[in-house]
Short mmCIF file of all heavy atoms in Angstrom, two decimals:
data_model
loop_
_atom_site.label_atom_id
_atom_site.label_comp_id
_atom_site.label_asym_id
_atom_site.label_seq_id
_atom_site.Cartn_x
_atom_site.Cartn_y
_atom_site.Cartn_z
N THR A 1 -61.87 13.63 -36.80
CA THR A 1 -60.67 13.08 -36.16
C THR A 1 -59.51 13.10 -37.15
O THR A 1 -59.71 13.24 -38.36
CB THR A 1 -60.89 11.62 -35.71
OG1 THR A 1 -61.09 10.82 -36.89
CG2 THR A 1 -62.08 11.48 -34.77
N ASP A 2 -58.32 12.91 -36.61
CA ASP A 2 -57.15 12.77 -37.48
C ASP A 2 -57.27 11.54 -38.38
O ASP A 2 -56.86 11.56 -39.54
CB ASP A 2 -55.86 12.68 -36.66
CG ASP A 2 -55.42 14.04 -36.13
OD1 ASP A 2 -55.89 15.07 -36.64
OD2 ASP A 2 -54.57 14.06 -35.21
N ASP A 3 -57.83 10.46 -37.85
CA ASP A 3 -58.01 9.25 -38.67
C ASP A 3 -58.91 9.52 -39.87
O ASP A 3 -58.65 9.05 -40.98
CB ASP A 3 -58.60 8.11 -37.84
CG ASP A 3 -57.61 7.53 -36.84
OD1 ASP A 3 -56.38 7.77 -37.00
OD2 ASP A 3 -58.05 6.82 -35.91
N GLU A 4 -59.97 10.30 -39.65
CA GLU A 4 -60.85 10.66 -40.76
C GLU A 4 -60.12 11.54 -41.77
O GLU A 4 -60.29 11.39 -42.98
CB GLU A 4 -62.11 11.36 -40.26
CG GLU A 4 -63.10 11.67 -41.38
CD GLU A 4 -64.32 12.45 -40.91
OE1 GLU A 4 -64.57 12.53 -39.68
OE2 GLU A 4 -65.02 12.98 -41.79
N ALA A 5 -59.28 12.45 -41.27
CA ALA A 5 -58.50 13.32 -42.16
C ALA A 5 -57.56 12.48 -43.03
O ALA A 5 -57.49 12.67 -44.25
CB ALA A 5 -57.70 14.34 -41.35
N VAL A 6 -56.87 11.54 -42.41
CA VAL A 6 -55.97 10.66 -43.16
C VAL A 6 -56.75 9.86 -44.20
O VAL A 6 -56.33 9.73 -45.35
CB VAL A 6 -55.19 9.72 -42.20
CG1 VAL A 6 -54.48 8.61 -42.97
CG2 VAL A 6 -54.20 10.53 -41.38
N ALA A 7 -57.91 9.33 -43.80
CA ALA A 7 -58.73 8.55 -44.74
C ALA A 7 -59.14 9.40 -45.94
O ALA A 7 -59.11 8.93 -47.09
CB ALA A 7 -59.95 7.98 -44.03
N ARG A 8 -59.52 10.64 -45.70
CA ARG A 8 -59.91 11.53 -46.81
C ARG A 8 -58.73 11.85 -47.71
O ARG A 8 -58.86 11.90 -48.93
CB ARG A 8 -60.51 12.82 -46.27
CG ARG A 8 -61.91 12.66 -45.73
CD ARG A 8 -62.51 14.04 -45.58
NE ARG A 8 -63.60 14.07 -44.65
CZ ARG A 8 -64.23 15.18 -44.30
NH1 ARG A 8 -63.85 16.34 -44.79
NH2 ARG A 8 -65.23 15.15 -43.46
N ILE A 9 -57.58 12.08 -47.10
CA ILE A 9 -56.38 12.38 -47.89
C ILE A 9 -56.03 11.17 -48.75
O ILE A 9 -55.73 11.31 -49.95
CB ILE A 9 -55.20 12.79 -46.97
CG1 ILE A 9 -55.49 14.13 -46.32
CG2 ILE A 9 -53.90 12.82 -47.76
CD1 ILE A 9 -54.54 14.49 -45.19
N LEU A 10 -56.07 9.98 -48.17
CA LEU A 10 -55.73 8.77 -48.93
C LEU A 10 -56.75 8.52 -50.04
O LEU A 10 -56.38 8.09 -51.14
CB LEU A 10 -55.64 7.56 -48.00
CG LEU A 10 -54.45 7.57 -47.04
CD1 LEU A 10 -54.51 6.37 -46.11
CD2 LEU A 10 -53.13 7.59 -47.81
N ALA A 11 -58.01 8.79 -49.78
CA ALA A 11 -59.03 8.62 -50.82
C ALA A 11 -58.79 9.60 -51.97
O ALA A 11 -58.88 9.22 -53.15
CB ALA A 11 -60.42 8.81 -50.23
N ALA A 12 -58.47 10.85 -51.64
CA ALA A 12 -58.19 11.84 -52.68
C ALA A 12 -56.93 11.47 -53.46
O ALA A 12 -56.89 11.59 -54.69
CB ALA A 12 -58.04 13.23 -52.06
N ALA A 13 -55.91 11.01 -52.75
CA ALA A 13 -54.68 10.59 -53.42
C ALA A 13 -54.96 9.38 -54.32
O ALA A 13 -54.46 9.30 -55.44
CB ALA A 13 -53.60 10.26 -52.40
N GLY A 14 -55.77 8.45 -53.83
CA GLY A 14 -56.12 7.27 -54.63
C GLY A 14 -56.83 7.64 -55.92
O GLY A 14 -56.52 7.10 -56.98
N SER A 15 -57.75 8.57 -55.83
CA SER A 15 -58.45 9.03 -57.04
C SER A 15 -57.49 9.71 -58.01
O SER A 15 -57.56 9.50 -59.22
CB SER A 15 -59.56 10.01 -56.66
OG SER A 15 -60.55 9.35 -55.91
N ALA A 16 -56.57 10.50 -57.46
CA ALA A 16 -55.59 11.17 -58.31
C ALA A 16 -54.66 10.17 -58.98
O ALA A 16 -54.31 10.31 -60.16
CB ALA A 16 -54.79 12.19 -57.49
N ILE A 17 -54.26 9.13 -58.25
CA ILE A 17 -53.41 8.08 -58.82
C ILE A 17 -54.16 7.35 -59.92
O ILE A 17 -53.60 7.03 -60.97
CB ILE A 17 -52.92 7.11 -57.73
CG1 ILE A 17 -51.93 7.82 -56.80
CG2 ILE A 17 -52.28 5.87 -58.34
CD1 ILE A 17 -51.63 7.08 -55.52
N ASP A 18 -55.45 7.07 -59.71
CA ASP A 18 -56.26 6.43 -60.75
C ASP A 18 -56.23 7.25 -62.04
O ASP A 18 -56.18 6.69 -63.14
CB ASP A 18 -57.71 6.26 -60.29
CG ASP A 18 -57.89 5.15 -59.29
OD1 ASP A 18 -57.02 4.25 -59.23
OD2 ASP A 18 -58.90 5.18 -58.55
N GLU A 19 -56.29 8.56 -61.90
CA GLU A 19 -56.32 9.44 -63.07
C GLU A 19 -54.96 9.64 -63.71
O GLU A 19 -54.84 9.64 -64.93
CB GLU A 19 -56.88 10.82 -62.68
CG GLU A 19 -58.34 10.82 -62.33
CD GLU A 19 -58.81 12.19 -61.85
OE1 GLU A 19 -58.12 13.20 -62.14
OE2 GLU A 19 -59.86 12.25 -61.19
N ARG A 20 -53.90 9.83 -62.87
CA ARG A 20 -52.61 10.24 -63.43
C ARG A 20 -51.43 9.37 -63.04
O ARG A 20 -50.29 9.71 -63.35
CB ARG A 20 -52.33 11.68 -63.00
CG ARG A 20 -53.33 12.68 -63.55
CD ARG A 20 -52.92 14.11 -63.35
NE ARG A 20 -52.66 14.51 -61.99
CZ ARG A 20 -53.59 14.89 -61.12
NH1 ARG A 20 -54.85 14.88 -61.45
NH2 ARG A 20 -53.26 15.26 -59.91
N GLY A 21 -51.64 8.27 -62.35
CA GLY A 21 -50.52 7.45 -61.91
C GLY A 21 -49.69 8.17 -60.87
O GLY A 21 -50.21 8.92 -60.05
N ALA A 22 -48.38 7.97 -60.92
CA ALA A 22 -47.48 8.55 -59.91
C ALA A 22 -47.25 10.04 -60.10
O ALA A 22 -46.59 10.67 -59.29
CB ALA A 22 -46.15 7.81 -59.92
N ASP A 23 -47.81 10.61 -61.16
CA ASP A 23 -47.62 12.03 -61.43
C ASP A 23 -48.61 12.87 -60.63
O ASP A 23 -49.44 13.60 -61.17
CB ASP A 23 -47.77 12.30 -62.94
CG ASP A 23 -47.38 13.71 -63.32
OD1 ASP A 23 -46.57 14.31 -62.60
OD2 ASP A 23 -47.91 14.20 -64.34
N VAL A 24 -48.54 12.71 -59.31
CA VAL A 24 -49.45 13.38 -58.39
C VAL A 24 -48.62 14.10 -57.34
O VAL A 24 -47.61 13.57 -56.88
CB VAL A 24 -50.38 12.35 -57.70
CG1 VAL A 24 -51.22 13.01 -56.63
CG2 VAL A 24 -51.24 11.64 -58.71
N GLY A 25 -49.03 15.29 -56.98
CA GLY A 25 -48.31 16.03 -55.95
C GLY A 25 -49.22 16.38 -54.78
O GLY A 25 -50.44 16.26 -54.86
N ILE A 26 -48.59 16.80 -53.71
CA ILE A 26 -49.33 17.21 -52.51
C ILE A 26 -50.32 18.33 -52.86
O ILE A 26 -51.46 18.34 -52.39
CB ILE A 26 -48.34 17.69 -51.42
CG1 ILE A 26 -47.46 16.55 -50.95
CG2 ILE A 26 -49.06 18.38 -50.27
CD1 ILE A 26 -48.00 15.67 -49.87
#
């Protein structure tokens, strides 16, 4: 579903933020 897609994107973004802070891109 789209909700699952959004959840995966947010989880990936969250992991990237944990590693690099705001220096994350699409």
Side-chain angles (χ1 to χ4, degrees):
T1 65
D2 283 343
D3 288 343
E4 184 184 345
V6 167
R8 286 195 201 176
I9 292 168
L10 291 176
S15 295
I17 291 167
D18 285 339
E19 290 176 20
R20 296 190 304 276
D23 189 25
V24 174
I26 295 275

